[in-house]
Amino acid sequence: MRLPSSLTPLRHHAFAWLWFGNAISAIGTWIQSTASAWVMTMLAPDPLMVSLILAAAQLPILVLALPAGALADRLDRKRLLVWSNLAMLAASGLLAALQLLGLVDAWLLLLLTALLACFTALNSPAWSSSVPLLVPRAELPQALVLNSVGFNLARAVGPALGGVIVAGGGAAVAFGANALSFAIVAVIIGGLLVFPASTRPADLPPEPLVQAMRLGLRYAAYEPSLRAALFRSAAFFGCASAVWALLPLYVHNVLGLAATSFGLLLASMGAGAVVGGLVMPRLRERYTPDTLVMLAGVVNAAALIPIAVMPGLTVAAIAMFVFGMGWIAAAASLQSTVQLACAPWVQARGLAIYQAVYNGGMGFGAIGWGWLGMHAGVKGALLAAGLGGIVIAVLARSQQLPSEVPDPAAAPQHSLPEFAVGAGLMEVLRTDAHPVLVSVAYVVGESDIAAFRRAMQGLRQSRHRDGATDWTLVRDIGRPEIWVEAFRLPDWSELRRAALRFNALDDAMMQAALAFHRGDSAPEMRIFLAVYGTGSGHGHHWHPGMFRG
């Protein structure tokens, strides 16, 4: 049977299991979130304390996402996923036991929520970066939509189920249900999923953790598509966080209703997201990602206005349905751009940075909206979020998302020159203790200088994306036609990794620069090794090696 276009990625069995595990985990998460928020309204019913539940669930991920992404790019992904789910099982099980014993107060609830978020941070980059390994690139955007649909199906079921469980069995049972979801996911990952083996050469060690984190940040800074997606994510999620921060208190204080009504509103939001996910293929045909994210931001913000000015359960349910549709349109489009812009070797780190932006926007936004709710009231804060969100959604479009993202895994048409190592240096290189400097000398005509310098800016981005820590372009004062590009890498192993990362986009940047070279032979390329302790006992001296083409 042929699947509809919106469900096509599910024909890949490994992705189907990943999707199922994502949905099970999300149901547990929403049960936990509903129970935690409602318990806090009982323990400390003021806007700031209730909003701190969201902050505690989000801000640890902001801090730990990048180290977790670096680990996911370095370690066995399957093993990392299994152990992180077992750790989340332990944290949520502990919360359930303490709640059952009546030992949970407001601050302990925040502490254990933050602990669970720490393990979630370890899990999330490895989980999200697994999707491109299981579906073809052409199906990746819809696969991400389906993941969001699964998450929002859980949002439609989980909060309502959470409200019923809290009302009928108490919060301890709800926390226990979340622990059970992690056990199920660990079994699915450990027994049913198989990921492709690493392609890193056996003699090339993994990147040191801190170096891997820095490279992830540099990649985000010098990849335009990823940079724009991160900026737009911060703007969108910072405004949208008002709902998550204030909705529990809106239901409890403004509407005067119980936990089941809070769960109903979250379920309505989830239902809207499911409907939005099913129509996403048509929306992508009609709108570019840039326009779609802007419209989604406007829709989300506008949905908050009637909640503030016309309080009522029916109005709120309709508004949350609309909010859910806008949420999935923006979130899926933003994450799709991030996934498509990240090369395979930095996939988890790129997604970790996106998740850090997401959780930072949600966490700090929640604190800000909670503070405003204390001074302007819950309805006033929601109205401000609605009106301000519309303006921000339009202004954020100054950072445009691309309609098409070049494939960072595409192979280059041209090969990099092979290099030989001078006698006596191989043992020094194996220590990986010395920075490496690469220089490339071009001969450029006077009339080509302006165009050449523009081309070199593109090549500069390429060098930084692939691992260069410093880059400069200098001109020979004695022979002004000679321009030298020089860039530094942390060590010899990083130079080898940079060569393996060279892709079609890097090749295009390099060929654009080479087009302006007017020498009788190819540009002279050389590698220099920093050798410490060879002179006065401090600093370093550059020892030349040969770079042969």
Side-chain angles (χ1 to χ4, degrees):
M1 183 179 69
R2 185 175 181 179
L3 293 173
S5 60
S6 59
L7 303 178
T8 298
L10 291 175
R11 63 190 173 90
H12 304 285
H13 292 165
F15 173 73
W17 278 116
L18 189 76
W19 182 89
F20 178 71
N22 180 61
I24 292 294
S25 179
I27 288 174
T29 296
W30 282 111
I31 292 174
Q32 166 100 15
S33 298
T34 303
S36 296
W38 198 255
V39 168
M40 185 60 84
T41 63
M42 301 293 103
L43 296 173
D46 69 75
L48 184 58
M49 289 300 293
V50 174
S51 66
L52 282 178
I53 279 289
L54 178 60
Q58 303 294 340
L59 294 183
I61 303 177
L62 167 66
V63 176
L64 298 175
L66 185 55
L71 285 173
D73 280 328
R74 296 170 75 249
L75 303 179
D76 179 86
R77 194 159 297 181
K78 181 173 180 176
R79 186 175 300 175
L80 180 60
L81 286 170
V82 170
W83 282 107
S84 59
N85 274 275
L86 292 177
M88 290 186 286
L89 185 158
S92 52
L94 176 61
L95 178 58
L98 292 176
Q99 178 68 26
L100 185 63
L101 296 172
L103 300 177
V104 175
D105 61 15
W107 292 107
L108 184 57
L109 178 60
L110 289 174
L111 177 64
L112 291 175
T113 299
L115 177 64
L116 181 58
C118 291
F119 295 132
T120 301
L122 185 64
N123 175 80
S124 294
W127 184 273
S128 299
S129 61
S130 298
V131 179
L133 302 176
L134 305 178
V135 298
R137 180 178 173 85
E139 297 179 20
L140 181 58
Q142 190 57 29
L144 296 174
V145 171
L146 282 177
N147 262 351
S148 294
V149 167
F151 187 78
N152 286 285
L153 279 170
R155 181 186 291 165
V157 175
L161 185 57
V164 171
I165 292 174
V166 171
V173 179
F175 298 146
N178 189 37
L180 177 62
S181 74
F182 294 128
I184 295 173
V185 172
V187 171
I188 290 174
I189 296 168
L192 297 170
L193 292 185
V194 178
F195 297 122
S198 172
T199 57
R200 186 181 72 239
D203 65 334
L204 187 60
E207 300 161 273
L209 181 61
V210 174
Q211 183 172 304
M213 292 165 57
R214 289 172 179 165
L215 182 52
L217 291 171
R218 277 200 302 276
Y219 189 94
Y222 289 99
E223 171 48 54
S225 300
L226 179 55
R227 190 171 62 240
L230 295 174
F231 178 87
R232 298 289 288 274
S233 297
F236 176 79
F237 293 119
C239 293
S241 65
V243 165
W244 312 110
L246 298 173
L247 191 61
L249 213 59
Y250 177 83
V251 174
H252 187 265
N253 289 2
V254 177
L255 301 184
L257 299 175
T260 51
S261 297
F262 175 52
L264 175 65
L265 290 183
L266 291 180
S268 179
M269 187 192 307
V274 171
V275 172
L278 294 176
V279 301
M280 274 295 287
R282 292 186 180 181
L283 292 176
R284 285 200 303 270
E285 290 175 0
R286 185 169 183 179
Y287 301 107
T288 65
D290 184 73
T291 301
L292 192 55
V293 170
M294 187 272 291
L295 292 176
V298 170
V299 167
N300 268 34
L304 302 184
I305 297 175
I307 296 177
V309 300
M310 296 184 293
L313 184 60
T314 302
V315 171
I318 295 172
M320 287 298 94
F321 183 88
V322 174
F323 184 95
M325 293 184 69
W327 176 274
I328 197 170
S333 298
L334 290 165
Q335 189 177 3
S336 176
T337 300
V338 171
Q339 290 267 27
L340 293 172
C342 289
W345 57 270
V346 76
Q347 193 89 42
R349 276 166 283 181
L351 284 164
I353 295 170
Y354 165 76
Q355 288 165 357
V357 170
Y358 164 81
N359 287 282
M362 294 287 283
F364 287 118
I367 294 173
W369 297 122
W371 176 86
L372 184 61
M374 291 183 65
H375 293 80
V378 173
K379 291 188 292 184
L382 288 171
L383 181 61
L387 296 174
I390 293 173
V391 175
I392 290 174
V394 175
L395 294 179
R397 206 176 183 188
S398 61
Q399 292 289 315
Q400 290 199 345
L401 299 173
S403 298
E404 296 289 338
V405 180
D407 184 359
Q413 293 185 358
H414 303 85
S415 299
L416 288 172
E418 296 183 0
F419 46 82
V421 179
L425 284 182
M426 183 55 72
E427 290 303 318
V428 177
L429 294 177
R430 287 197 181 104
T431 65
D432 291 339
H434 307 284
V436 170
L437 179 74
V438 179
S439 69
V440 186
Y442 304 84
V443 179
V444 182
E446 191 69 27
S447 61
D448 292 331
I449 288 177
F452 171 73
R453 294 182 67 177
R454 287 193 296 270
M456 292 305 292
Q457 288 306 308
L459 190 55
R460 168 177 172 265
Q461 292 192 59
S462 169
R463 305 297 196 199
H464 278 299
R465 279 198 304 266
D466 287 345
T469 56
D470 297 291
W471 184 95
T472 189
L473 181 66
V474 296
R475 192 176 188 182
D476 190 322
I477 61 172
R479 298 177 59 191
E481 71 276 12
I482 296 180
W483 293 73
V484 178
E485 172 203 14
F487 56 95
R488 185 168 65 91
L489 297 105
D491 52 50
W492 179 254
S493 292
E494 192 60 31
L495 176 62
R496 293 180 60 199
R497 295 187 195 102
L500 293 173
R501 296 164 186 155
F502 186 69
N503 61 18
L505 184 58
D506 298 324
D507 188 15
M509 297 295 180
M510 190 171 72
Q511 297 305 316
L514 289 174
F516 297 100
H517 176 62
R518 297 293 178 258
D520 296 331
S521 58
E524 181 185 11
M525 292 175 280
R526 304 179 73 185
I527 300 176
F528 300 88
L529 179 68
V531 180
Y532 291 84
T534 59
S536 61
H538 63 276
H540 63 261
H541 306 270
W542 291 104
H543 190 99
M546 295 305 295
F547 194 105
R548 296 175 181 168

